[in-house]
Amino acid sequence: MAAVGNRDAMLDTLAGSRLFALVARLHADTPGFNPPLAAQPDPASGRMCVTVLTSGTLPPWHPDWVFEATGLDDLARRWPDGVRWLGINPGTPYAVTLEAGPGRRRAWLKAHERSGGPQAGLLLTHRAGPLHGPVAHGLALGAHLAVHNGLVWNDLGAAYEGYATDRARLRNPWGVLDRAAYRETLEALLATRLVGRTYESVLRIRRALAGRLGRTPTVPEWSAALTDALTRRRSTPSEAAEAHEALRLAVTYEDRFRTDGALGTGERVDTLAAFDYGRAVNVVRLALGARLCDPREAEQAVLRIGALAGQAYGSWAQFSLGYSLARVMHFDADDSSGVEYEQSLAQHRVLTQDPNSPYRNIAWS
């Protein structure tokens, strides 16, 4: 049981953590049914406890048992009558038992109000997950989204964000409801068909021109080459306007990255493929959590993504800049505040500068 003197600190830690409750998949898939919190004997004390686990202690993936995300506030509201104890990570070295009477549960709600729940923007690593090798390399390609959401970057296990949330995130924005749709979406991402054909085409024109000139072209040279290409393709006025807007966005955000020290003088981003590869890792992890693939399928997909990214980029920094530039270009119309740019820059800096980042500890090739 948590010591009284440490109770508030313990509650604050738990309130800022992701907690998971085991649920039969059959129940989780039943429309309109919210399974009650079940109590079971604590292996150490024998007390009847509602049991929850933290992300680092989840058991191996199972097709018929899933984990729903919860928190101290949710537990307090759903608490079953007659149960006086909350067991966290029972049977592990990280086991904690908390009293769960009405007064204690009010303290849970206050702790949740203080913490605001799990925090986004953090680099989180599962020390028992892959840290080196091809699987870790592939998972690290999805680290931008993991940092953005405050999720562990290196786990292929029983849950990503939680069964219901994983399914919801596949439905929107991906439109994935079943295994066939998941595989179709994954293949589209692996073929980089979703990053934006116009954006990628505009960068490809600059890359080809740079190869002919032996240097990075100036913006007027790039713009002229783009106009020539559009004329040869007999592009419509709207297509031409879209392409020149893509050029403007690329120039604008590359200049901002240079000003902020993320992109060196004379450096450029040649492909935005990283955006699709990074999102592909996220889709794989969501599909595993949603039980639309199994761990072996997920691992093979992550390895494929890693191999493709290795062909498109020469370093973690290049990959990260490709992802970051695609993200800010993609969200530019919805980001008059500059929040998306600041988030993208912060994620790039965390991943390329933090000593604990996989980008600092895993060889690119």
Side-chain angles (χ1 to χ4, degrees), residues 29-117:
D29 286 341
T30 302
F33 178 60
N34 188 18
L37 295 170
Q40 60 187 31
D42 178 77
S45 66
R47 299 186 183 102
M48 292 300 292
C49 297
V50 167
T51 297
V52 296
L53 301 174
T54 54
S55 59
T57 64
L58 296 180
W61 185 96
H62 190 283
D64 298 323
W65 291 94
V66 299
F67 287 89
E68 292 289 15
T70 186
L72 287 183
D73 58 327
D74 181 55
L75 292 171
R77 288 190 290 266
R78 297 172 54 201
W79 197 258
D81 293 337
V83 181
R84 306 287 298 182
W85 300 93
L86 170 64
I88 302 155
N89 300 330
T92 76
Y94 313 103
V96 175
T97 304
L98 297 178
E99 293 183 74
R104 302 301 190 201
R105 298 200 300 275
R106 285 193 292 272
W108 299 357
L109 292 171
K110 292 179 181 177
H112 175 77
E113 291 175 3
R114 288 194 301 269
S115 74

Side-chain angles (χ1 to χ4, degrees), residues 133-139 141 156 190 281 284 296-310:
V135 174
H137 183 281
L139 287 171
L141 299 172
L156 279 177
L190 291 176
V281 173
V284 170
R296 182 180 176 280
E297 292 175 276
E299 182 174 304
Q300 291 302 309
V302 167
L303 291 173
R304 286 181 65 196
I305 299 166
L308 290 169

Side-chain angles (χ1 to χ4, degrees), residues 11 25 35 63 69 76 127 157 189 192 204 213 228 310 324 330:
L11 291 182
R25 184 179 171 190
R127 290 302 169 189
L189 288 165
T192 64
R204 191 180 302 119
L213 296 175
D228 289 344
S324 301
H330 182 75

